[in-house]
Amino acid sequence: MPSYQAPLTDLRFLLHDVFDADTLAELPGYAEATPDLIDQILEEAGKFVETVLAPLNQPGDQHGCTLANGTVTTPPGFADAWRAYVEAGWHGLAAEPAYGGQGLPHVLQFVLEEMVSSANLSFGTYPGLTIGATNAILQHGTEALKQRYLPKLVEGRWSGTMCLTEPQCGTDLGLTRARVEPVPDGDPGADGDDLLDADGPRYRLTGTKIFITAGDHDLTENIVHLVLARLPDAPAGIRGISLFLVPKRLPHADGSAGAPNGVTTGSIEHKMGIAGSSTCVLNFDGSIAWLVGTPHKGMRAMFTMMNAARLAVGVQGLGIAEIATQNAVAYARERLQGRRLKGGPATPDKPADPLLVHPDVRRMLMTMKAWTEGARALIIWIGVALDREAKHPDPAVRREAGEFVALMTPVAKAFITDQGVEVANLAIQVWGGHGYIRENGIEQFARDARITQIYEGANGIQALDLVGRKLGQDTGRLLRRFFHPAAAELAAAAADPALADLAKPLAKMFGRLQQVTLLIATRGLADPNEAAAVAHDYLRLFGLVALGVAWLKMAAAAGRRTPPDGFAAAKRALAQFYMDKLLPQGYGHAAAIAAGAKGVMAFDDEMF
Amino acid sequence: MPSYQAPLTDLRFLLHDVFDADTLAELPGYAEATPDLIDQILEEAGKFVETVLAPLNQPGDQHGCTLANGTVTTPPGFADAWRAYVEAGWHGLAAEPAYGGQGLPHVLQFVLEEMVSSANLSFGTYPGLTIGATNAILQHGTEALKQRYLPKLVEGRWSGTMCLTEPQCGTDLGLTRARVEPVPDGDPGADGDDLLDADGPRYRLTGTKIFITAGDHDLTENIVHLVLARLPDAPAGIRGISLFLVPKRLPHADGSAGAPNGVTTGSIEHKMGIAGSSTCVLNFDGSIAWLVGTPHKGMRAMFTMMNAARLAVGVQGLGIAEIATQNAVAYARERLQGRRLKGGPATPDKPADPLLVHPDVRRMLMTMKAWTEGARALIIWIGVALDREAKHPDPAVRREAGEFVALMTPVAKAFITDQGVEVANLAIQVWGGHGYIRENGIEQFARDARITQIYEGANGIQALDLVGRKLGQDTGRLLRRFFHPAAAELAAAAADPALADLAKPLAKMFGRLQQVTLLIATRGLADPNEAAAVAHDYLRLFGLVALGVAWLKMAAAAGRRTPPDGFAAAKRALAQFYMDKLLPQGYGHAAAIAAGAKGVMAFDDEMF
């Protein structure tokens, strides 16, 4: 079975030394988040996921979820683990204290989510979706809905979902067919007992939703679905979609879960991976529903959930990359195969040397580490910004932090999940044939990780978000939230002899990024296809530079470490590896961007 | 269920117009291989795999192989399909007429293997391994062994395996522990009836082999294992390995399969993919064995099988890429989602436009097509060379063709399987969430393809073969077998206004390849780690340039097509796409190579 140890040293370094998470305690509402408490949370979270969640991952893949008598059963141990997770307080870590949460910084939520994703990606989908639903209600629900649902969701007695996709629409939600009707006079509601009108006007919702993660399961006594549907008077298309809250069971006035609300599970999907996460077809048959947010503005409310979910999916990519790397390194230390090329046998007393002596194995492992640690740095960077956006007293700081988060969200989601899949595949490669065998648990990482490139907006959609929405917003103001600090970091590093070898190649690539940004902005104004056709390459180049700046920050912090230790030396060496071996991939993307849209759009449909 | 249509138009173009396969009929022994016969074979092979093998692919994945009472059962339909395959003559297509084969050119065998791999990669492993065993006996066996085994193997009544891997050794076969003892006087053999001493001295072989593809199954009445093991007086390490033939059942003098020979199937593996291919742990317990080839020179004999197998695995990567591309294109035509960005709706009568209108989807599909068609061209190029090596009357031509094949084998194996996996993953991405669902059959391509990067020498080993063995051989003579024709092709294209736009970027990248080749040759002389640490990047760069030359050849042939048609226009457009969008990846690899081994080797073991 794969092993996992939470990367506490790296997390402490990022939080304390690189991204100043210690200053979060100075923000109103975060006074408790002292460096000591942060360290304590890291340790306790690590212990929990290592001992409770990790052992359930492989059995979860083998058993999967089952649907019988209309009810989904999660794999053995999941329900107990959920209870333990909730009781230990992990579920409400960053939730609002007003509804029972601990109100700790979001960046710690990211840390927790990384660990959970490493240990058990399937399990992590249940709390993840619940947090998304919680946030949507918190930001767009009426006070009555908040009072009724949020304490249950934060407590983890109830869970949540996001119901967007229908058979005919995934990316294009304008094609949504699910619809609501106002509950007419005389309709007793589902069971007529204590449905409270105080929660707002009731509707009946009808439609079929597919690919609903955590759509049904046996972890909680009730499930709160947030569902996109059309009001009777809705305009066609994307501007006629509203968001509704639909509980699986209608709540009693006393807060307990009451009668079924016409939500049935039609089937569950058999998937390439994340078999422990239930993926449901849900049929809503006149289910009682409440509007969340403004009529016809459901997409905006949904994006509250979506943006948080996109970052969380980026964190999932990181989590998979971490456990894949750990297990590849462990195997490379232990598996004896061949002798090193130079200097005679490394372990002459053994029949062969460990894989780790071989240059190409080292290349694979360093590549895995460089992607993983770079991704973690980017996530912590964004997490701290998210907390400044939420709590900083200065509105200008809040706005700027929010703009940075908005800009980096598609990059974090797409780039880190792409790299998560690559790192998982490299782990298989290091393990060779043994990596292809199910019992060893390595190939599961690749199968599980593969969904992260797809859900919460396929990675191509993230790229379009970056070039189509974020790049041009307010004549590039969002872009400057990354470009300005990157330029400052590079200028400082160029003047520091210890960092100049890193700054030089990165500055060159940053220059390319700036050039092609201008190019796309200019061409895209005249022809939107020009931006869309190169969006993928642009996001890749952007991600490469973003991780480069993250590596530069880490190298700078490592250089300040006293006394200098092996950890700092490794960081500096990996930063150099990143700049020398991985960052140059950006040249290919820059060239592809320069070539523009012509070749892509001029290819006749019949030619495919 | 996924659809598949054999790519006959593209194959005809490559064989007839680009790589002059028509001239093969002028070679001694290939007189039958006329252009008409070639076309007939393409069509018939296409029909066979489309109707017989493709429908068994998804059920094969679901059922997998089962082991019960010591016997492996293949998925439903496989045994019947095998019989049909054999009876239709596909199995002996390129086998020696002296032993019942049809003696057709190897390039047609590649064509067949591509189709089989598209339709049913698992099924293809059974004939594939048998051909490997057949070749090893043909080239290294005694006349008696040839007479006894080859007709059965060519006929497809018996099948073959390669037994290399043991629990403690995969890549490093020097650690092989399986051993033989001469059959002592008085030993009656297994059943004492008609074991013929004419087949050569008998041994008893003992040991455990793992990951034995097609190690046991229900397709044939006997299985002929080719097994690496040590003679009693064998030197330690790789220079003490010999190759033995071990039938599952001992043959009677009349050619029928007789008593069991002490070969038992300990277990079968549950794998990420190719579930229809049986992967066995085989225990040899004093099994009667005959030496194949020279004592202690088993690695050389094994490489006869291995080199052919490596090319065949490259063809598998191509096969998966082809079917993945076909199904992504089909989905992109049919799935309605969103509207095109420019020019108003493409299908105003429908609720949305097909995916195909979206620039990023087009980018993915063109990328898939460019990798796939480029890979096919490289395979046909190598296949025709293989036939010249085998049959050309001029020994100089034979030698040069053989050197080209030897050089390109690791490139074809590693580069094409890497791209096969990438294309399979792109197919999932085009299908979105639906691609992640097992029932749709798309994710199976990625799971099946993943083994091709591992077996028959992991792709890192291919890269080491290229830089460590092929690059320096005879002061670069092998290298010139590609560099010279590439330079000639580029010179001709540069002078042709219709091709200059392709030749320019390719010439630049070819220049980089030449530069880094010199660099590696120089540095590698002083320090073998310098070559090994950049081997991966070198193989990638080499593959990119090789596919570039293949695309240039295709574009040139397309330009000669009269009258010019849509097919020719598509080829020209895809060639440009390749040069503009994909070839530039080489810049990143060239930079990584220039950075050398230092960063990789100086990273302390403790730092991982």
Side-chain angles (χ1 to χ4, degrees), chain B residues 132-423:
Chain B
T134 305
N135 287 338
I137 298 169
L138 187 67
Q139 295 193 30
H140 302 283
T142 60
E143 192 52 36
L145 289 175
K146 288 186 201 177
Q147 292 299 336
R148 188 168 312 284
Y149 291 95
L150 291 182
K152 301 287 187 185
L153 289 166
V154 168
E155 194 188 352
R157 288 178 71 88
W158 296 359
S159 58
T161 76
M162 295 165 64
C163 300
L164 290 72
T165 306
E166 299 183 10
Q168 78 290 350
C169 67
T171 296
D172 183 359
L173 291 168
L175 300 175
T176 296
R177 288 187 195 147
R179 57 189 165 70
V180 298
E181 299 285 343
V183 172
D185 290 343
D187 180 329
D191 63 354
D193 66 348
D194 49 13
L195 282 173
L196 300 181
D197 275 330
D199 290 358
R202 277 171 285 151
Y203 297 86
R204 285 194 176 276
L205 190 148
T206 301
T208 295
K209 295 286 180 178
I210 66 169
F211 297 166
I212 307 308
T213 302
D216 194 47
H217 55 76
D218 54 358
L219 306 185
T220 56
E221 64 184 34
N222 203 4
I223 301 175
V224 182
H225 303 292
L226 285 160
V227 188
L228 288 185
R230 293 183 182 283
L231 283 158
D233 61 341
I238 200 75
R239 290 187 178 78
I241 313 285
S242 307
L243 184 64
F244 296 89
L245 183 158
V246 185
K248 177 183 173 184
R249 293 174 176 279
L250 289 165
H252 290 296
D254 66 1
S256 62
N261 186 24
V263 186
T264 53
T265 305
S267 61
I268 56 173
E269 307 289 353
H270 304 102
K271 308 184 297 296
M272 184 184 194
I274 57 164
S277 173
S278 79
T279 305
C280 302
V281 174
L282 291 186
N283 296 311
F284 295 86
D285 186 11
S287 309
I288 300 283
W290 286 267
L291 184 68
V292 175
T294 314
H296 315 319
K297 303 281 187 198
M299 290 304 293
R300 193 187 294 169
M302 191 50 95
F303 262 99
T304 303
M305 295 165 73
M306 193 63 107
N307 280 325
R310 286 177 173 180
L311 287 170
V313 173
V315 174
Q316 292 179 346
L318 163 61
I320 289 282
E322 173 62 30
I323 191 167
T325 303
Q326 286 190 18
N327 283 279
V329 168
Y331 190 73
R333 287 192 195 286
E334 158 198 304
R335 172 78 170 170
L336 306 178
Q337 208 73 181
R339 291 293 187 187
R340 65 179 175 186
L341 293 170
K342 198 180 153 188
T347 55
D349 53 323
K350 295 195 175 145
D353 289 340
L355 289 184
L356 196 56
V357 304
H358 300 299
D360 191 58
V361 173
R362 299 171 74 86
R363 171 195 65 81
M364 289 193 275
L365 296 175
M366 291 182 78
T367 300
M368 297 168 81
K369 283 178 76 73
W371 290 133
T372 304
E373 295 176 23
R376 181 176 295 119
L378 186 61
I379 288 292
I380 299 296
W381 189 359
I382 295 171
V384 168
L386 207 56
D387 284 315
R388 294 219 173 89
E389 180 190 9
K391 302 287 184 188
H392 203 280
D394 181 345
V397 174
R398 286 205 302 274
R399 200 197 64 216
E400 289 188 12
E403 288 166 351
F404 175 76
V405 172
L407 174 69
M408 300 309 271
T409 295
V411 178
K413 196 280 182 183
F415 192 85
I416 298 178
T417 59
D418 283 353
Q419 297 326 108
V421 169
E422 180 175 329
V423 170

Side-chain angles (χ1 to χ4, degrees), chain A residues 165-173 175 177 210-211 268-274 279 329 333 335-342 351-352 356-363 365-366 369 421 424-429 432-439 443 446-451 453-454 458-461 463-464 526-529 532-537 566 569-571 573-574 577 580-582 584-589 591-593 595-597 599-608, chain B residues 165-173 175 177 210-211 268-274 279 329 333 335-342 351-352 356-366 369 421 424-429 432-439 443 446-451 453-454 458-461 463-464 526-529 532-537 566 569-571 573-574 577 580-582 584-589 591-593 595-597 599-608:
Chain A
T165 306
E166 298 182 9
Q168 78 289 350
C169 67
T171 296
D172 183 359
L173 291 168
L175 300 175
R177 287 187 195 147
I210 66 169
F211 297 166
I268 56 173
E269 306 290 353
H270 302 102
K271 309 183 298 293
M272 183 183 195
I274 58 164
T279 306
V329 168
R333 287 192 194 285
R335 173 78 170 170
L336 306 178
Q337 208 74 180
R339 291 292 187 188
R340 65 180 175 187
L341 293 170
K342 198 179 153 189
L356 196 55
V357 304
H358 299 299
D360 191 58
V361 173
R362 299 171 73 85
R363 172 194 64 81
L365 296 176
M366 291 182 77
K369 282 178 77 72
V421 169
N425 272 313
L426 281 169
I428 298 176
Q429 202 65 20
H434 298 273
Y436 197 66
I437 304 299
R438 293 211 165 200
E439 279 80 353
E443 56 85 47
R447 287 186 293 108
D448 284 356
R450 188 63 186 82
I451 190 60
Q453 295 175 298
I454 299 170
N459 285 359
I461 297 296
L464 292 177
D527 180 353
N529 286 329
V534 300
H536 161 82
D537 286 297
K571 279 288 176 201
L574 262 179
F577 177 88
D580 292 347
K581 299 283 190 176
L582 303 180
Q585 292 180 9
Y587 290 118
H589 295 296
I593 294 166
V600 177
M601 300 314 295
F603 201 73
D604 285 351
D605 285 3
E606 299 71 39
M607 289 180 176
F608 281 97
Chain B
T165 306
E166 299 183 10
Q168 78 290 350
C169 67
T171 296
D172 183 359
L173 291 168
L175 300 175
R177 288 187 195 147
I210 66 169
F211 297 166
I268 56 173
E269 307 289 353
H270 304 102
K271 308 184 297 296
M272 184 184 194
I274 57 164
T279 305
V329 168
R333 287 192 195 286
R335 172 78 170 170
L336 306 178
Q337 208 73 181
R339 291 293 187 187
R340 65 179 175 186
L341 293 170
K342 198 180 153 188
L356 196 56
V357 304
H358 300 299
D360 191 58
V361 173
R362 299 171 74 86
R363 171 195 65 81
M364 289 193 275
L365 296 175
M366 291 182 78
K369 283 178 76 73
V421 169
N425 271 313
L426 281 169
I428 297 176
Q429 203 64 22
H434 298 274
Y436 197 66
I437 304 299
R438 292 210 165 202
E439 279 79 352
E443 56 85 47
R447 287 186 292 107
D448 285 355
R450 188 63 187 81
I451 190 60
Q453 295 176 297
I454 299 170
N459 285 359
I461 297 296
L464 292 177
D527 180 353
N529 286 329
V534 301
H536 161 81
D537 286 297
K571 278 288 176 202
L574 262 181
F577 177 88
D580 291 347
K581 299 283 190 178
L582 303 179
Q585 292 180 8
Y587 290 118
H589 295 297
I593 294 166
V600 177
M601 300 314 295
F603 200 73
D604 285 351
D605 285 3
E606 298 71 40
M607 289 179 177
F608 280 96

Side-chain angles (χ1 to χ4, degrees), chain A residues 172-187:
Chain A
D172 183 359
L173 291 168
L175 300 175
T176 296
R177 287 187 195 147
R179 57 191 164 70
V180 298
E181 299 286 342
V183 172
D185 291 342
D187 180 330

